[in-house]
Structures are given as C-alpha cells and as structure tokens.
Amino acid sequence: MKKLLSLLAFILISFSAFAQKPEYETKSNIQYYNAATNKADSYINERCVLDIYYPKNTKGFATIVWFHGGGLTGGNKEIPEALKNKGFAIIGVNYRLSPKVKAEKAIEDLHVAIAWTFNNIASYGGDVSQIFVSGHSAGGYLALMTGLDKKWLQKEGIDANKIAGLIPFSGQCITHFEIRRQNGIPEKQPTIDAFAPLYHVRADAPPLLLITGDRELEMLGRYEENAYMARMMKLVGHTQTKLYELDGYGHGMTEPGFPLLVNEVNRILKEKQTKK
C-alpha cells in the first residue's frame, strides 16, 4: 500500500510540474513606430517590425530584446532557439539598413523598439523592470549605443538606466565601421566619436556583460575594443562590468555565448529579488 501511495504521489508531482510549464506564443511583424510615421515612410513601414515570443498566461516575466547582426547592412530579426523555453520573453527586432539609409538610422530605430518594449510588455504579462538588451555584432554595437548614450531613449521619455542589463555579443565599441565607411574613413582606422559606445562610458549605466570570441580569432580588434571598454567603465566607477573571452571561438560565437546571457539575466533577477 505504501508503495502504491508513493507511486501515486510521484505521478501527481510529475503531472503538476509538467502542467506548470508555461506555454509560449509568438506574435510576428508588430510595427514599433506609430501609425503616422509608418504612413509617412514606406521603408520604416516595411522594415521596422519586431517579433515577440513570450510565456502565455504568465505574469512578471523578464524580457530580452535581441538585435541581429549583419554589419548594419544586412540581417533579419530572429528569436534565438537557445533562448526559448527559459521563462523569458524574447523580442527580435528588424531595423533599417545601410546603404538605403544612413547607418546611424539603425540606432534611431532600436531606441524606438526598446521604448515600445517598455510601453507594451506589461500588456503581455512582462515586468517592465526586467528588460534586458542584447545582440550580436552590429546588434551588440546597437545594444551598447542605445543603453549607454542616454539621449536616444530620452527622446521617448525613458531613462536608459531602467534597462535591467546590457549584454552585447562581440559588439563594436569604437565607431562602427559602416558609419566610418560612409564618412570615408578606412575600416582599419579606429575612430571614437559620438557614434562610439566608448564615448559614452559612465558610472551609472546598467549592469554590463561584454562577451567576445577568442582575441586571435575575432574580427579585427573586437576583443581588444571590448577589453578597453571594460577597463574604462571600471575606471569611471561602474561596478558591474564583466568581460568574457570565449577561447577557441571566432566572431560567430553566439551558441557558447547564450548560456552566459541566460546566467547573467538570472543573476540580475536574483539580485533584484534579494533587494526587495
């Protein structure tokens, strides 16, 4: 009899655990500019859309806004498979591309996409205090720019410091090479101006986790840029900057990077919970 009761208890617990797993839903091609802007600009209307993957019938979940790479000239929005079924919402964002528009227009687009997230995620069940911004390569650069240069989100009435964490993958920390190219500056001539994340180092920025591939395998000086960014953030007094170099991986280092992203999100969420 005891064995039977134990078996029934095990079945009930297993069924309960299975039943509590959230079901996820994806909504695609949501326009994140307002209707008037979409009507006035056909390229914005076509390109500036996002997908949201989120746990249904769940409240208080965290959100990761993910920006695709492609050198600011290519690429498309994505919901990375490695981030699915982790209890988070994932938002994949498209943005305008060079040379159809000036490369810096991508920064304009992505601050609007982040603002859309702040203004809308609660209606899906998300917690507005748990919005993280990440991306790979050009997407990592854009994550850094929109999170460190506060003027972009200020245009939408949002304090960039409300972002829960910035987690760029192999992001450019000097002025992006496509912005330099359109201004006649060679790819291998480093430039730090207002379009460089390094220009905007500050002590009060959100927690920052910089992830790159192996310094000997990465694109150009990508590891060294991130190492300098980490050093300068610490020197200005930022206490939550970390740098990971993924030995043996080149620029396409997203797969080994995703677990680090998930761990960092969970670390920050746990820290927030402890402070409550």
Side-chain angles (χ1 to χ4, degrees):
M1 185 64 179
K2 286 183 178 179
K3 286 184 178 179
L4 179 59
L5 289 173
S6 297
L7 178 60
L8 288 171
F10 175 79
I11 291 170
L12 287 171
I13 291 169
S14 298
F15 179 80
S16 175
F18 176 78
Q20 288 173 8
K21 287 185 178 179
E23 180 185 350
Y24 290 83
E25 182 172 349
T26 301
K27 294 187 182 295
S28 302
N29 296 320
I30 299 169
Q31 292 178 315
Y32 54 83
Y33 275 95
N34 60 44
T37 304
N38 283 307
K39 187 176 181 180
D41 189 315
S42 61
Y43 191 36
I44 286 178
N45 185 65
E46 167 201 343
R47 182 73 190 174
C48 294
V49 294
L50 58 82
D51 297 343
I52 176 169
Y53 165 93
Y54 66 100
K56 293 173 62 178
N57 305 315
T58 305
K59 297 294 182 184
F61 53 77
T63 300
I64 300 170
V65 184
W66 177 260
F67 300 148
H68 69 80
L72 301 180
T73 63
N76 280 295
K77 58 184 166 61
E78 58 180 338
I79 307 292
E81 287 293 326
L83 299 180
K84 290 183 176 181
N85 300 306
K86 298 292 191 296
F88 313 133
I90 315 297
I91 295 179
V93 186
N94 262 358
Y95 47 89
R96 288 174 290 173
L97 300 171
S98 176
K100 193 160 186 176
V101 295
K102 290 286 189 181
E104 54 264 35
K105 290 293 183 182
I107 307 172
E108 289 184 19
D109 293 344
L110 295 190
H111 91 266
V112 178
I114 294 171
W116 182 95
T117 305
F118 273 95
N119 293 329
N120 291 277
I121 198 61
S123 66
Y124 292 86
D127 185 336
V128 75
S129 72
Q130 298 180 8
I131 295 171
F132 297 80
V133 179
S134 185
H136 175 240
S137 193
Y141 164 78
L142 294 167
L144 284 167
M145 283 300 299
T146 51
L148 292 178
D149 185 355
K150 297 185 74 173
K151 76 176 183 185
W152 296 102
L153 280 170
Q154 280 174 347
K155 294 178 181 180
E156 303 297 318
I158 293 171
D159 183 355
N161 287 0
K162 298 296 184 183
I163 295 171
L166 299 170
I167 311 170
F169 287 36
S170 196
Q172 200 150 8
C173 296
I174 62 175
T175 301
H176 194 278
F177 59 73
E178 179 61 16
I179 294 177
R180 282 183 278 141
R181 185 201 62 77
Q182 69 188 18
N183 290 316
I185 300 171
E187 182 182 63
K188 294 178 182 176
Q189 182 177 330
T191 304
I192 296 175
D193 58 20
F195 289 106
L198 269 164
Y199 190 86
H200 304 285
V201 295
R202 53 190 179 85
D204 64 333
L208 175 62
L209 174 61
L210 300 158
I211 307 172
T212 79
D214 189 313
R215 69 189 73 187
E216 298 301 330
L217 302 174
E218 260 287 7
M219 177 183 290
L220 299 173
R222 198 60 54 91
Y223 165 79
E224 288 79 7
E225 291 178 37
N226 279 262
Y228 188 51
M229 167 67 83
R231 175 57 56 196
M232 295 309 294
M233 287 291 283
K234 290 175 182 178
L235 288 175
V236 298
H238 192 264
T239 59
Q240 291 199 71
T241 294
K242 289 182 290 185
L243 170 66
Y244 282 127
E245 177 186 7
L246 297 173
D247 290 346
Y249 291 92
H251 186 61
M253 36 56 77
T254 54
E255 289 308 314
F258 285 131
L260 298 175
L261 167 56
V262 171
N263 288 344
E264 180 69 355
V265 169
N266 285 326
R267 182 195 69 80
I268 292 171
L269 294 179
K270 184 177 181 181
E271 189 176 271
K272 282 176 171 284
Q273 191 65 35
T274 302
K275 290 179 178 178
K276 284 184 179 180

